[in-house]
Each structure stands twice: as C-alpha cells, then as structure tokens.
Coordinates of all heavy atoms in Angstrom, one line a residue:
M1 N 0.9 -1.2 0.0 CA 0.0 0.0 0.0 C 0.9 1.2 0.0 O 1.7 1.4 0.8 CB -0.9 0.0 1.3 CG -1.8 1.1 1.4 SD -3.1 0.8 2.6 CE -3.1 2.4 3.5
T2 N 0.7 2.1 -1.0 CA 1.5 3.3 -1.1 C 0.6 4.4 -0.7 O -0.4 4.7 -1.1 CB 2.0 3.4 -2.5 OG1 1.0 3.2 -3.4 CG2 3.2 2.5 -2.7
M3 N 1.2 5.3 0.1 CA 0.6 6.6 0.5 C 0.9 7.7 -0.4 O 0.0 8.4 -0.9 CB 1.1 6.9 2.0 CG 0.6 6.0 3.0 SD -1.2 6.3 3.3 CE -1.3 8.0 4.0
A4 N 2.1 7.7 -0.8 CA 2.5 8.9 -1.6 C 2.4 8.6 -3.2 O 2.8 7.5 -3.6 CB 4.1 9.3 -1.3
H5 N 1.7 9.4 -3.7 CA 1.7 9.3 -5.2 C 2.9 9.9 -5.9 O 3.4 10.9 -5.5 CB 0.5 10.2 -5.8 CG -0.9 9.4 -5.7 ND1 -1.2 8.8 -6.8 CD2 -1.7 9.2 -4.8 CE1 -2.5 8.2 -6.5 NE2 -2.7 8.5 -5.2
E6 N 3.5 9.1 -6.8 CA 4.7 9.6 -7.4 C 4.4 10.7 -8.3 O 3.4 10.7 -8.9 CB 5.2 8.4 -8.3 CG 6.7 8.8 -8.7 CD 7.5 7.4 -9.0 OE1 7.2 6.5 -8.3 OE2 8.4 7.5 -9.8
H7 N 5.2 11.7 -8.2 CA 4.9 12.9 -9.0 C 5.4 12.7 -10.4 O 6.6 12.6 -10.8 CB 5.8 14.0 -8.4 CG 5.3 15.4 -8.9 ND1 6.2 16.2 -9.5 CD2 4.2 16.0 -9.1 CE1 5.6 17.3 -9.8 NE2 4.3 17.2 -9.6
N8 N 4.3 12.4 -11.3 CA 4.7 12.0 -12.7 C 4.8 13.3 -13.4 O 3.8 14.0 -13.7 CB 3.5 11.1 -13.1 CG 4.0 10.6 -14.5 OD1 4.6 11.3 -15.3 ND2 3.6 9.4 -14.8
R9 N 6.0 13.6 -13.8 CA 6.2 14.8 -14.6 C 5.4 14.9 -15.9 O 5.0 16.0 -16.4 CB 7.7 14.9 -15.0 CG 8.3 16.1 -14.2 CD 9.7 16.2 -14.6 NE 10.4 16.7 -13.4 CZ 11.6 17.1 -13.4 NH1 12.4 17.0 -14.4 NH2 12.1 17.6 -12.2
R10 N 5.2 13.8 -16.5 CA 4.5 13.8 -17.8 C 3.0 14.2 -17.6 O 2.5 14.9 -18.3 CB 4.5 12.5 -18.4 CG 5.3 12.5 -19.7 CD 5.6 11.2 -20.3 NE 7.0 11.1 -20.5 CZ 7.6 10.1 -21.3 NH1 6.9 9.2 -21.7 NH2 8.8 10.2 -21.5
D11 N 2.4 13.7 -16.5 CA 1.0 14.1 -16.1 C 1.0 15.6 -15.8 O 0.1 16.3 -16.2 CB 0.6 13.4 -14.9 CG 0.3 11.9 -15.2 OD1 0.3 11.6 -16.5 OD2 0.0 11.2 -14.3
C12 N 2.1 16.0 -15.2 CA 2.1 17.5 -14.8 C 2.1 18.4 -16.0 O 1.4 19.3 -16.2 CB 3.3 17.8 -13.9 SG 3.2 17.0 -12.3
L13 N 3.1 17.9 -16.9 CA 3.2 18.7 -18.2 C 1.9 18.7 -19.0 O 1.5 19.7 -19.5 CB 4.3 18.0 -19.0 CG 5.7 18.4 -18.6 CD1 6.7 17.7 -19.4 CD2 6.0 19.9 -18.8
A14 N 1.2 17.5 -19.0 CA 0.0 17.5 -19.7 C -1.1 18.5 -19.0 O -1.9 19.1 -19.7 CB -0.6 16.0 -19.7
M15 N -1.0 18.5 -17.8 CA -2.0 19.3 -17.0 C -1.7 20.8 -17.3 O -2.6 21.5 -17.5 CB -1.9 19.0 -15.5 CG -3.1 19.6 -14.8 SD -2.7 19.8 -13.0 CE -1.8 21.4 -13.2
F16 N -0.5 21.1 -17.3 CA 0.0 22.5 -17.5 C -0.4 23.0 -18.8 O -0.8 24.1 -19.1 CB 1.4 22.8 -17.2 CG 1.7 22.8 -15.7 CD1 2.5 22.0 -15.0 CD2 1.0 23.8 -14.9 CE1 2.7 22.1 -13.6 CE2 1.2 24.0 -13.6 CZ 2.0 23.0 -13.0
A17 N -0.4 22.0 -19.8 CA -0.7 22.3 -21.2 C -2.1 22.8 -21.3 O -2.5 23.6 -22.1 CB -0.4 21.2 -22.1
K18 N -2.9 22.3 -20.4 CA -4.4 22.5 -20.4 C -4.7 23.8 -19.6 O -5.8 24.4 -19.8 CB -5.2 21.4 -19.9 CG -5.1 20.1 -20.7 CD -5.7 19.0 -20.0 CE -5.6 17.7 -20.8 NZ -6.0 16.6 -19.9
L19 N -3.7 24.1 -18.7 CA -4.1 25.2 -17.8 C -4.3 26.5 -18.4 O -5.2 27.3 -18.0 CB -2.9 25.4 -16.8 CG -3.0 24.4 -15.5 CD1 -1.9 24.9 -14.6 CD2 -4.3 24.7 -14.8
S20 N -3.7 26.8 -19.5 CA -4.0 28.2 -20.0 C -5.3 28.2 -20.6 O -6.0 29.3 -20.6 CB -2.9 28.5 -21.1 OG -2.9 27.6 -22.2
E21 N -5.8 27.1 -21.1 CA -7.2 27.1 -21.6 C -8.2 27.1 -20.4 O -9.2 27.8 -20.5 CB -7.4 25.8 -22.4 CG -6.7 25.9 -23.7 CD -6.7 24.5 -24.4 OE1 -7.8 24.2 -24.8 OE2 -5.7 23.9 -24.5
Y22 N -7.7 26.4 -19.4 CA -8.6 26.4 -18.2 C -8.8 27.9 -17.6 O -9.8 28.2 -17.3 CB -7.8 25.4 -17.1 CG -8.5 25.4 -15.8 CD1 -9.5 24.5 -15.7 CD2 -8.0 26.1 -14.7 CE1 -10.1 24.3 -14.5 CE2 -8.6 25.9 -13.4 CZ -9.6 25.0 -13.3 OH -10.2 24.9 -12.1
I23 N -7.7 28.6 -17.7 CA -7.8 30.0 -17.2 C -8.7 30.8 -18.0 O -9.5 31.6 -17.5 CB -6.3 30.6 -17.4 CG1 -5.4 29.9 -16.4 CG2 -6.5 32.1 -17.1 CD1 -4.0 30.2 -16.7
D24 N -8.8 30.5 -19.3 CA -9.7 31.3 -20.2 C -11.1 30.6 -20.3 O -11.9 31.1 -21.0 CB -9.2 31.2 -21.7 CG -7.9 32.2 -21.8 OD1 -7.9 33.2 -21.0 OD2 -7.1 32.0 -22.7
N25 N -11.3 29.7 -19.3 CA -12.7 29.1 -19.4 C -13.0 28.4 -20.7 O -14.2 28.4 -21.1 CB -13.7 30.0 -19.0 CG -13.8 30.1 -17.5 OD1 -13.7 29.1 -16.8 ND2 -14.3 31.3 -17.1
E26 N -12.0 27.9 -21.4 CA -12.2 27.3 -22.7 C -12.4 25.8 -22.6 O -12.7 25.1 -23.6 CB -11.2 27.6 -23.6 CG -11.2 29.0 -24.1 CD -10.0 29.4 -25.0 OE1 -9.1 28.7 -25.1 OE2 -9.9 30.6 -25.3
L27 N -12.3 25.3 -21.4 CA -12.3 23.8 -21.3 C -13.7 23.4 -20.9 O -14.4 24.0 -20.2 CB -11.4 23.3 -20.2 CG -9.8 23.6 -20.6 CD1 -9.0 23.0 -19.5 CD2 -9.5 22.8 -21.9
D28 N -14.1 22.2 -21.3 CA -15.3 21.6 -20.9 C -15.1 21.0 -19.5 O -14.0 20.9 -19.0 CB -15.7 20.5 -21.9 CG -14.6 19.4 -22.1 OD1 -14.3 18.7 -21.2 OD2 -14.1 19.4 -23.2
E29 N -16.3 20.7 -18.9 CA -16.3 20.2 -17.6 C -15.3 19.0 -17.3 O -14.7 18.9 -16.2 CB -17.7 19.8 -17.2 CG -18.3 20.8 -16.3 CD -19.7 20.4 -16.0 OE1 -20.1 19.4 -15.3 OE2 -20.6 21.2 -16.4
L30 N -15.4 18.2 -18.3 CA -14.5 17.0 -18.0 C -13.1 17.2 -18.0 O -12.3 16.6 -17.1 CB -14.8 16.0 -19.3 CG -14.6 14.5 -19.0 CD1 -15.6 13.9 -18.0 CD2 -14.5 13.8 -20.3
T31 N -12.6 18.1 -18.8 CA -11.1 18.5 -18.7 C -10.9 19.2 -17.4 O -9.8 18.9 -16.9 CB -10.8 19.3 -20.0 OG1 -11.3 18.7 -21.1 CG2 -9.3 19.3 -20.1
C32 N -11.7 20.0 -17.0 CA -11.5 20.7 -15.8 C -11.4 19.6 -14.6 O -10.6 19.8 -13.8 CB -12.7 21.6 -15.4 SG -12.7 23.1 -16.5
K33 N -12.3 18.7 -14.8 CA -12.2 17.7 -13.7 C -10.9 16.9 -13.8 O -10.3 16.5 -12.7 CB -13.4 16.7 -14.0 CG -13.9 16.0 -12.8 CD -15.1 15.3 -13.0 CE -15.4 14.3 -11.8 NZ -14.3 13.1 -11.8
D34 N -10.4 16.7 -14.9 CA -9.1 16.0 -15.1 C -7.9 16.8 -14.4 O -7.2 16.3 -13.6 CB -8.7 15.9 -16.6 CG -9.2 14.7 -17.3 OD1 -9.9 13.9 -16.6 OD2 -8.8 14.6 -18.5
I35 N -8.0 18.0 -14.6 CA -7.0 18.9 -13.9 C -7.2 18.9 -12.5 O -6.2 18.8 -11.7 CB -7.2 20.4 -14.5 CG1 -6.8 20.4 -16.0 CG2 -6.3 21.3 -13.7 CD1 -7.0 21.8 -16.7
E36 N -8.4 19.0 -12.0 CA -8.6 19.0 -10.5 C -8.2 17.7 -9.9 O -7.7 17.6 -8.8 CB -10.0 19.3 -10.2 CG -10.5 20.6 -10.9 CD -10.8 21.7 -10.0 OE1 -11.1 21.4 -8.8 OE2 -10.9 23.0 -10.4
D37 N -8.5 16.6 -10.7 CA -8.1 15.3 -10.2 C -6.6 15.1 -10.0 O -6.2 14.6 -9.1 CB -8.7 14.2 -11.2 CG -10.0 13.8 -10.9 OD1 -10.6 14.3 -9.9 OD2 -10.6 13.1 -11.7
H38 N -5.9 15.6 -11.0 CA -4.5 15.6 -11.0 C -3.9 16.3 -9.7 O -3.1 15.9 -9.0 CB -3.8 16.0 -12.3 CG -2.3 16.1 -12.2 ND1 -1.4 15.0 -12.5 CD2 -1.5 17.1 -11.8 CE1 -0.3 15.4 -12.2 NE2 -0.2 16.6 -11.8
A39 N -4.4 17.6 -9.7 CA -4.1 18.4 -8.6 C -4.2 17.8 -7.2 O -3.6 18.1 -6.2 CB -4.7 19.9 -8.7
R40 N -5.3 17.0 -7.1 CA -5.7 16.4 -5.8 C -4.6 15.5 -5.3 O -4.4 15.3 -4.2 CB -7.0 15.7 -5.9 CG -7.8 15.5 -4.8 CD -9.2 15.0 -4.9 NE -10.0 16.0 -5.6 CZ -10.9 15.8 -6.5 NH1 -11.1 14.5 -6.9 NH2 -11.6 16.7 -7.1
H41 N -3.9 14.8 -6.3 CA -2.8 13.8 -6.0 C -1.5 14.4 -6.0 O -0.5 13.8 -5.6 CB -3.0 12.6 -6.8 CG -4.3 11.9 -6.8 ND1 -4.7 11.3 -5.7 CD2 -5.2 11.8 -7.8 CE1 -5.9 10.8 -6.0 NE2 -6.2 11.1 -7.2
C42 N -1.3 15.5 -6.5 CA 0.0 16.1 -6.8 C 0.1 17.4 -6.1 O -0.4 18.4 -6.5 CB 0.1 16.3 -8.4 SG 1.7 16.8 -8.9
I43 N 0.9 17.4 -5.0 CA 1.0 18.6 -4.1 C 1.5 19.8 -4.9 O 0.9 20.9 -4.7 CB 1.9 18.3 -2.9 CG1 1.3 17.1 -2.1 CG2 1.9 19.5 -1.9 CD1 -0.1 17.3 -1.6
P44 N 2.6 19.7 -5.6 CA 3.1 21.0 -6.3 C 2.1 21.5 -7.2 O 1.9 22.7 -7.3 CB 4.3 20.4 -7.1 CG 4.7 19.1 -6.4 CD 3.5 18.5 -5.9
C45 N 1.4 20.6 -7.9 CA 0.4 21.1 -8.8 C -0.7 21.8 -8.1 O -1.3 22.7 -8.6 CB -0.1 19.9 -9.7 SG 1.1 19.5 -11.0
K46 N -1.2 21.1 -7.0 CA -2.2 21.6 -6.2 C -1.9 23.0 -5.8 O -2.7 24.0 -5.9 CB -2.5 20.7 -5.1 CG -3.6 21.1 -4.3 CD -3.9 20.4 -3.1 CE -5.2 20.9 -2.3 NZ -5.7 20.0 -1.3
A47 N -0.7 23.3 -5.3 CA -0.2 24.6 -4.9 C -0.3 25.6 -5.9 O -0.8 26.7 -5.9 CB 1.1 24.5 -4.3
C48 N 0.1 25.2 -7.2 CA 0.1 26.0 -8.3 C -1.4 26.3 -8.7 O -1.6 27.5 -9.0 CB 0.8 25.3 -9.5 SG 1.0 26.3 -10.9
L49 N -2.2 25.4 -8.7 CA -3.5 25.6 -9.1 C -4.2 26.6 -8.2 O -5.1 27.4 -8.6 CB -4.4 24.2 -9.2 CG -5.6 24.3 -9.9 CD1 -5.4 24.5 -11.4 CD2 -6.3 22.9 -9.8
E50 N -4.1 26.4 -6.8 CA -4.6 27.3 -5.9 C -4.1 28.7 -6.2 O -5.0 29.7 -6.1 CB -4.1 26.9 -4.5 CG -4.8 25.6 -4.0 CD -6.3 25.7 -3.9 OE1 -6.8 26.6 -3.4 OE2 -7.0 24.6 -4.4
T51 N -2.9 28.9 -6.5 CA -2.3 30.3 -6.7 C -3.0 30.8 -8.0 O -3.4 32.0 -8.0 CB -0.8 30.2 -7.0 OG1 -0.2 29.5 -5.8 CG2 -0.2 31.5 -7.0
L52 N -3.1 29.9 -8.9 CA -3.7 30.3 -10.2 C -5.1 30.8 -9.9 O -5.6 31.9 -10.5 CB -3.8 29.1 -11.1 CG -3.6 29.3 -12.5 CD1 -2.3 29.8 -12.8 CD2 -3.7 27.9 -13.2
K53 N -5.9 30.1 -9.2 CA -7.3 30.5 -9.0 C -7.4 31.7 -8.3 O -8.3 32.5 -8.6 CB -8.0 29.3 -8.2 CG -8.4 28.1 -9.1 CD -9.1 27.0 -8.2 CE -9.6 26.0 -9.1 NZ -10.2 25.0 -8.2
Q54 N -6.6 31.9 -7.3 CA -6.6 33.2 -6.6 C -6.3 34.4 -7.5 O -6.9 35.4 -7.4 CB -5.5 33.1 -5.4 CG -6.1 32.4 -4.2 CD -5.0 32.2 -3.2 OE1 -4.1 32.9 -3.1 NE2 -5.3 31.3 -2.3
T55 N -5.3 34.2 -8.4 CA -4.9 35.2 -9.3 C -5.9 35.5 -10.3 O -6.3 36.7 -10.5 CB -3.5 34.8 -10.0 OG1 -2.6 34.3 -9.0 CG2 -3.0 36.0 -10.6
I56 N -6.5 34.4 -10.7 CA -7.7 34.7 -11.7 C -8.8 35.4 -11.0 O -9.4 36.4 -11.6 CB -8.3 33.4 -12.2 CG1 -7.2 32.6 -13.1 CG2 -9.5 33.5 -13.0 CD1 -7.5 31.2 -13.4
G57 N -9.2 35.1 -9.9 CA -10.2 35.7 -9.1 C -9.8 37.2 -8.9 O -10.8 38.1 -9.1
L58 N -8.7 37.4 -8.6 CA -8.2 38.9 -8.5 C -8.3 39.7 -9.7 O -8.8 40.7 -9.7 CB -6.8 38.8 -7.9 CG -6.2 40.1 -7.3 CD1 -6.9 40.3 -6.1 CD2 -4.8 40.0 -7.1
C59 N -7.8 39.1 -10.8 CA -8.0 39.7 -12.1 C -9.3 40.0 -12.5 O -9.7 41.1 -12.9 CB -7.4 38.8 -13.1 SG -5.7 38.6 -13.1
R60 N -10.3 39.1 -12.1 CA -11.7 39.4 -12.5 C -12.3 40.4 -11.7 O -13.1 41.1 -12.2 CB -12.4 38.0 -12.5 CG -12.0 37.2 -13.6 CD -13.0 36.0 -13.8 NE -12.5 35.3 -15.0 CZ -12.5 34.0 -15.2 NH1 -12.9 33.1 -14.2 NH2 -12.1 33.3 -16.2
S61 N -12.0 40.4 -10.3 CA -12.6 41.4 -9.5 C -12.0 42.8 -9.8 O -12.7 43.8 -9.7 CB -12.4 41.0 -8.0 OG -11.0 41.1 -7.8
L62 N -10.8 42.9 -10.3 CA -10.3 44.2 -10.6 C -10.7 44.6 -11.9 O -11.0 45.9 -12.1 CB -8.6 44.1 -10.7 CG -8.0 43.9 -9.3 CD1 -6.5 43.6 -9.5 CD2 -8.2 45.0 -8.4
A63 N -10.8 43.8 -12.9 CA -11.2 44.2 -14.2 C -12.2 43.3 -14.9 O -11.9 42.5 -15.7 CB -10.0 44.4 -15.1
P64 N -13.5 43.2 -14.3 CA -14.5 42.2 -14.8 C -14.8 42.3 -16.2 O -15.2 41.3 -16.8 CB -15.7 42.6 -14.0 CG -15.4 43.9 -13.3 CD -14.0 44.2 -13.4
N65 N -14.5 43.3 -17.0 CA -14.9 43.5 -18.4 C -13.7 43.1 -19.3 O -13.8 43.1 -20.5 CB -15.5 44.8 -18.7 CG -16.7 45.1 -17.9 OD1 -17.6 44.1 -17.8 ND2 -16.9 46.3 -17.5
E66 N -12.6 43.0 -18.6 CA -11.3 42.6 -19.4 C -11.3 41.2 -19.7 O -12.0 40.4 -19.1 CB -10.1 43.1 -18.6 CG -10.1 44.5 -18.2 CD -9.4 45.4 -19.3 OE1 -8.5 44.9 -19.9 OE2 -9.9 46.5 -19.5
K67 N -10.5 40.9 -20.6 CA -10.1 39.4 -20.8 C -9.5 38.9 -19.4 O -8.8 39.6 -18.7 CB -8.9 39.3 -21.8 CG -9.5 39.1 -23.2 CD -8.3 39.1 -24.2 CE -7.5 37.8 -24.0 NZ -6.4 37.8 -25.0
P68 N -10.0 37.7 -19.2 CA -9.7 37.1 -17.8 C -8.2 37.1 -17.6 O -7.7 37.1 -16.4 CB -10.3 35.8 -17.8 CG -10.7 35.5 -19.2 CD -10.9 36.8 -19.8
V69 N -7.4 36.9 -18.7 CA -6.1 36.7 -18.4 C -5.1 37.8 -19.1 O -4.9 37.6 -20.3 CB -5.6 35.3 -18.9 CG1 -4.2 35.1 -18.4 CG2 -6.5 34.2 -18.3
P70 N -4.7 38.7 -18.4 CA -3.7 39.7 -19.0 C -2.4 39.1 -19.3 O -2.0 38.0 -18.7 CB -3.5 40.7 -17.9 CG -4.5 40.3 -16.8 CD -4.9 38.9 -17.0
E71 N -1.7 39.6 -20.2 CA -0.4 39.1 -20.6 C 0.5 38.9 -19.5 O 1.2 37.8 -19.3 CB 0.2 39.9 -21.6 CG 1.2 39.1 -22.6 CD 2.0 40.1 -23.4 OE1 1.4 41.1 -23.8 OE2 3.1 39.7 -23.7
A72 N 0.6 39.8 -18.6 CA 1.4 39.7 -17.4 C 1.1 38.5 -16.6 O 2.0 37.8 -16.1 CB 1.3 41.0 -16.5
F73 N -0.1 38.2 -16.6 CA -0.5 36.9 -15.8 C 0.0 35.7 -16.4 O 0.5 34.8 -15.9 CB -2.0 36.9 -15.6 CG -2.5 35.7 -14.9 CD1 -2.0 35.4 -13.7 CD2 -3.3 34.9 -15.6 CE1 -2.3 34.1 -13.0 CE2 -3.8 33.7 -15.0 CZ -3.3 33.4 -13.7
S74 N -0.2 35.6 -17.8 CA 0.4 34.5 -18.6 C 1.8 34.2 -18.3 O 2.3 33.2 -18.1 CB 0.2 34.7 -20.1 OG -1.2 34.9 -20.3
K75 N 2.5 35.4 -18.2 CA 4.0 35.3 -18.0 C 4.3 34.7 -16.6 O 5.2 33.9 -16.4 CB 4.7 36.6 -18.2 CG 4.9 37.1 -19.5 CD 5.5 38.4 -19.6 CE 5.6 38.8 -21.2 NZ 5.9 40.2 -21.2
R76 N 3.5 35.2 -15.7 CA 3.7 34.7 -14.3 C 3.3 33.2 -14.3 O 4.0 32.4 -13.5 CB 2.6 35.5 -13.4 CG 3.1 35.6 -12.0 CD 2.4 36.8 -11.4 NE 2.0 36.5 -10.1 CZ 1.1 37.2 -9.3 NH1 0.5 38.2 -10.0 NH2 0.8 36.8 -8.2
L77 N 2.3 32.8 -15.0 CA 2.0 31.4 -14.9 C 2.9 30.5 -15.6 O 3.4 29.5 -15.0 CB 0.6 31.2 -15.9 CG 0.3 29.8 -16.3 CD1 -0.2 29.0 -15.0 CD2 -0.8 29.8 -17.2
K78 N 3.7 31.0 -16.6 CA 4.8 30.3 -17.2 C 5.9 30.1 -16.2 O 6.6 29.1 -16.1 CB 5.2 30.9 -18.5 CG 4.2 30.5 -19.7 CD 4.5 31.3 -20.9 CE 3.3 31.2 -21.8 NZ 3.3 32.2 -22.8
A79 N 6.3 31.2 -15.5 CA 7.3 31.2 -14.6 C 7.0 30.1 -13.5 O 7.8 29.3 -13.1 CB 7.4 32.6 -13.9
L80 N 5.7 30.1 -13.1 CA 5.2 29.1 -12.0 C 5.4 27.7 -12.6 O 5.9 26.8 -11.8 CB 3.8 29.3 -11.7 CG 3.4 30.2 -10.5 CD1 1.9 30.3 -10.4 CD2 3.9 29.3 -9.2
I81 N 5.1 27.4 -13.8 CA 5.1 26.1 -14.5 C 6.6 25.8 -14.4 O 6.9 24.6 -14.2 CB 4.6 26.3 -15.9 CG1 3.0 26.3 -15.7 CG2 4.8 25.0 -16.7 CD1 2.3 26.7 -17.0
Q82 N 7.5 26.7 -14.9 CA 8.8 26.3 -14.9 C 9.5 26.0 -13.6 O 10.4 25.2 -13.4 CB 9.6 27.4 -15.6 CG 9.6 27.3 -17.1 CD 10.2 28.5 -17.8 OE1 11.0 29.2 -17.2 NE2 9.9 28.6 -19.1
K83 N 8.9 26.5 -12.6 CA 9.4 26.3 -11.2 C 9.2 24.9 -10.9 O 9.9 24.2 -10.3 CB 8.7 27.2 -10.2 CG 9.7 27.8 -9.2 CD 8.9 28.4 -8.1 CE 9.0 30.0 -8.2 NZ 8.2 30.7 -7.3
I84 N 8.0 24.4 -11.3 CA 7.6 23.0 -11.0 C 8.1 22.0 -11.9 O 8.5 20.9 -11.5 CB 6.1 23.0 -10.8 CG1 5.6 23.9 -9.6 CG2 5.5 21.5 -10.6 CD1 4.1 24.1 -9.7
V85 N 8.0 22.3 -13.2 CA 8.5 21.4 -14.2 C 9.5 22.1 -15.0 O 9.3 22.9 -15.9 CB 7.3 21.0 -15.2 CG1 7.7 19.9 -16.2 CG2 6.1 20.5 -14.3
P86 N 10.8 21.9 -14.8 CA 11.9 22.6 -15.5 C 11.7 22.5 -16.9 O 11.4 21.4 -17.4 CB 13.1 21.9 -14.9 CG 12.7 21.3 -13.7 CD 11.3 21.0 -13.8
D87 N 11.9 23.6 -17.6 CA 11.8 23.5 -19.1 C 12.8 22.7 -19.7 O 14.0 22.5 -19.2 CB 12.0 25.0 -19.5 CG 11.2 25.3 -20.8 OD1 10.4 24.4 -21.1 OD2 11.2 26.3 -21.3
K88 N 12.4 22.0 -20.8 CA 13.4 21.0 -21.4 C 13.5 21.3 -22.8 O 12.5 21.6 -23.5 CB 12.9 19.6 -21.2 CG 14.1 18.6 -21.5 CD 15.1 18.6 -20.5 CE 16.6 18.4 -21.1 NZ 16.8 17.0 -21.4
Ligands
LIG101 ZN1 1.7 17.3 -10.9

C-alpha cells in the first residue's frame, strides 16, 4: 500500500498544457475535472492551481470586463510552471 503518489512529470506537463485554456474558461467540464483530479494527488500542482485560481479571481474582480488573463499573468503562470516542471 502506497501513501505517496509519485509525482509524474508527464502528467504534470499534460496538465499545465491545459491550464492556459482552463484559465480562459475554454475547457469543458470533463477536462476541468481532469485537472482538478491531478491536482488532488499532486501537491506541487495543487499549490500551483490554488495560486492560479486566486490570481484569476483577483484579475476578474479588478477588471471584470477585461479578458480574464492579462499578458502579465500569462508570464507569471509560465514562470510558475517552470518552477515546478523545469523547461526542457
Ligand atoms: Zn503534478
């Protein structure tokens, strides 16, 4: 019986590839669920997703009529991703 889920980088990369669409609300419910499922087992991704959601919420409350994701935020997201999954 294993307690710790192995942190599978490929899964993480696949998740992060979807994240930018997730931010824009372009994903269907099923894909959102995929992301949330992964984050549930993957602590680094969970932390990232939480940060992401907070930032999105902040963006929306500050500028509800703007695109949900300003460019500065996309850059921040990429920096976060690289912290967790080193660029190759
Ligand atoms: Zn992960």
Side-chain angles (χ1 to χ4, degrees):
M1 180 167 142
T2 47
M3 286 294 288
H5 273 266
E6 195 153 330
H7 192 234
N8 189 328
R9 248 182 208 187
R10 248 167 229 194
D11 283 353
C12 293
L13 281 171
M15 194 202 81
F16 280 120
K18 291 173 188 167
L19 270 183
S20 62
E21 293 169 65
Y22 179 79
I23 293 163
D24 287 331
N25 272 330
E26 282 172 6
L27 294 178
D28 52 67
E29 252 175 67
L30 202 71
T31 313
C32 286
K33 206 174 165 292
D34 270 2
I35 292 174
E36 308 245 344
D37 274 353
H38 175 86
R40 203 166 294 145
H41 300 296
C42 184
I43 305 300
C45 288
K46 184 179 179 167
C48 186
L49 196 63
E50 291 296 316
T51 308
L52 212 62
K53 281 179 172 175
Q54 279 173 18
T55 313
I56 293 167
L58 195 68
C59 285
R60 287 195 177 141
S61 65
L62 288 176
N65 297 319
E66 302 269 325
K67 268 176 68 179
V69 187
E71 204 191 327
F73 174 60
S74 299
K75 281 180 187 163
R76 209 160 138 195
L77 170 67
K78 280 171 195 162
L80 261 176
I81 291 171
Q82 277 178 14
K83 224 191 256 178
I84 295 165
V85 186
D87 214 3
K88 190 78 217 281

